[in-house]
Amino acid sequence: MKTIINSSIEDAVKWLNINQVVAIPTETVYGLAGNALEEDAVLQIFKVKARPHFNPLIVHVNDWAKVAAYTKHIPEAALKLAETFCPGPLTFLLSKNERISDLVTAGHDKVAIRIPAHPLTLQLLRQLDFPLAAPSANRFGYVSPTTAGHVMEGLSGLIPYILDGGPCKVGLESTIVDFEGEDVIIRRNGGVSIEKIEALLGKKILKKTDDIEHPVAPGMLKSHYATTTPLYRGKLEDLIQRFPGKSVVLLEFGKPISGNYSNRLNLSASGDLEEAARKLFSLMREADACGADCILCPYLPNTGLGIAINDRLQRAQFIEV
Ligand code: TXA
Ligand code: MG
């Protein structure tokens, strides 16, 4: 199959209407999208991605009326969050109704649903009479794509079409929020920081992020977002001592360390976490392409978007067995 990159919405509509899967831009990362209401299209998503069926998919819609059309009940706190953060990098776990199949939610009673903030994809969703199920458009386990070119690198020949909407503006996947009684629970850290959610709701929220990327057994999906080149985290000066004679790529943040290193990339020389989020997956791919023995990366400040960035880097980390 020949994969075409273009920014025509009509072409994307054409493929999606015949149950093919296409890559779509969002503000977070590119998604691998198919008709969420058609089993054939959903199965195709799992197949192209080589993703296990127990890992559920996020459903994308263009407005809140459609969220209501696929769910049973919307808690007050969700409505409040939606007013401020939708469209945007926030995904809601809400009780699904019978229109959403168990295949999409992997048997869960709740569906993950969001309104992406990308003009092309919002326009695309308006033209379709079904929502789009879409995981990130990478092969399972590899770094998420933030440009159409990244999608091509991983999925060329496997899908007919990539809708090119330029580089993703946020660069990290959406934050996933869940609702239990009066509680609001963060299931995945992402593009909307915990601080912003707490400030809006005026209360502390719970963080239970462990079970979501490891839905069946912790450790089964031990590495995710992973580069092929082993990635290590720590104080850069100490890490360098650990690998004498090896070729390294430095993936720095803030003021560069002194020394003469040929492979060095910087997430944000000025120490800006939003810039680091935007560049993270791109620079991880660039670091991977250097052909070095290892990638060395510091811990970023654990506040704001730094929490989600550290989470992705921790999952990308090489695990010694
Ligand atoms: O920003 C994003 O969220 C991107 C763009 C494309 O929208 N999508 C994305 O999808 O990151 P994916 O499939 O790579 O990650 C979805 C996460 C997984 O960890 C999955 O386990 C969780 O959402 N998830 C999806 N549906 C769920 C459900 N019904 N219950 C619990 N977790 C769910
Ligand atoms: Mg993913």
Side-chain angles (χ1 to χ4, degrees):
M1 180 186 297
K2 188 166 160 24
T3 304
I4 290 169
I5 300 189
N6 201 309
S7 41
S8 149
I9 294 174
E10 286 64 38
D11 287 352
V13 169
K14 188 189 79 187
W15 289 114
L16 290 163
N17 275 334
I18 55 167
N19 282 342
Q20 294 291 309
V21 298
V22 303
I24 56 163
T26 83
E27 79 285 26
T28 61
V29 300
Y30 273 71
L32 180 63
N35 182 343
L37 308 181
E38 282 291 335
E39 190 159 304
D40 280 356
V42 176
L43 286 172
Q44 187 65 15
I45 295 173
F46 283 103
K47 190 169 157 210
V48 167
K49 232 191 115 100
R51 176 180 176 116
H53 285 255
F54 59 73
N55 203 354
L57 305 175
I58 296 178
V59 171
H60 298 72
V61 293
N62 61 293
D63 65 30
W64 205 252
K66 289 190 185 161
V67 174
Y70 299 106
T71 57
K72 282 186 185 154
H73 164 73
I74 301 173
E76 277 300 308
L79 289 172
K80 196 160 177 195
L81 289 170
E83 269 171 35
T84 302
F85 298 116
C86 293
L90 190 64
T91 294
F92 298 80
L93 286 173
L94 301 172
S95 298
K96 75 173 191 73
N97 66 22
E98 69 295 335
R99 298 176 75 184
I100 299 291
S101 78
D102 283 344
L103 188 59
V104 170
T105 65
H108 292 266
D109 296 336
K110 290 185 178 176
V111 59
I113 193 158
R114 87 174 186 101
I115 304 176
H118 193 290
L120 273 190
T121 291
L122 284 173
Q123 217 179 314
L124 170 66
L125 286 164
R126 257 179 245 125
Q127 293 187 24
L128 299 170
D129 51 16
F130 48 82
L132 291 175
S136 49
N138 50 283
R139 298 281 288 174
F140 187 68
Y142 195 64
V143 182
S144 303
T146 51
T147 65
H150 292 162
V151 179
M152 193 62 136
E153 278 166 35
L155 302 181
S156 172
L158 298 174
I159 56 175
Y161 193 66
I162 300 170
L163 180 63
D164 189 352
C168 301
K169 293 216 163 83
V170 175
L172 283 177
E173 294 85 353
S174 58
T175 299
I176 302 180
V177 282
D178 196 358
F179 305 89
E180 279 178 12
E182 294 295 297
D183 291 335
V184 177
I185 305 162
I186 295 271
R187 298 286 185 191
R188 177 176 72 182
N189 288 296
V192 178
S193 70
I194 295 174
E195 291 91 331
K196 280 194 179 161
I197 294 175
E198 288 185 337
L200 183 81
L201 295 177
K203 66 172 187 180
K204 281 270 161 209
I205 50 176
L206 307 173
K207 289 149 222 158
K208 289 190 195 160
T209 53
D210 284 356
D211 43 339
I212 195 153
E213 304 269 9
H214 298 163
V216 164
M220 235 177 120
L221 309 178
K222 59 187 177 188
S223 93
H224 219 92
Y225 308 103
T227 47
T228 310
T229 313
L231 181 146
Y232 298 88
R233 300 166 73 215
K235 193 162 180 282
L236 287 182
E237 289 87 345
D238 298 345
L239 286 175
I240 287 162
Q241 302 294 320
R242 259 180 75 191
F243 298 99
K246 298 272 188 198
S247 63
V248 302
V249 191
L250 305 184
L251 188 54
E252 298 184 279
F253 176 76
K255 188 170 172 282
I257 61 164
S258 55
N260 211 356
Y261 302 97
S262 48
N263 289 325
R264 55 198 314 168
L265 301 165
N266 203 318
L267 291 164
S268 168
S270 65
D272 175 358
L273 289 169
E274 278 185 24
E275 181 187 4
R278 199 162 55 240
K279 291 186 177 166
L280 177 69
F281 292 140
S282 243
L283 292 189
M284 281 171 72
R285 284 167 182 263
E286 238 181 87
D288 212 8
C290 287
D293 297 319
C294 47
I295 303 169
L296 308 181
C297 183
Y299 296 110
L300 272 66
N302 221 25
T303 58
L305 291 184
I307 296 175
I309 299 172
N310 281 328
D311 167 78
R312 302 303 186 273
L313 285 167
Q314 187 193 323
R315 288 176 203 283
Q317 206 163 209
F318 184 66
I319 299 165
E320 273 143 309
V321 281

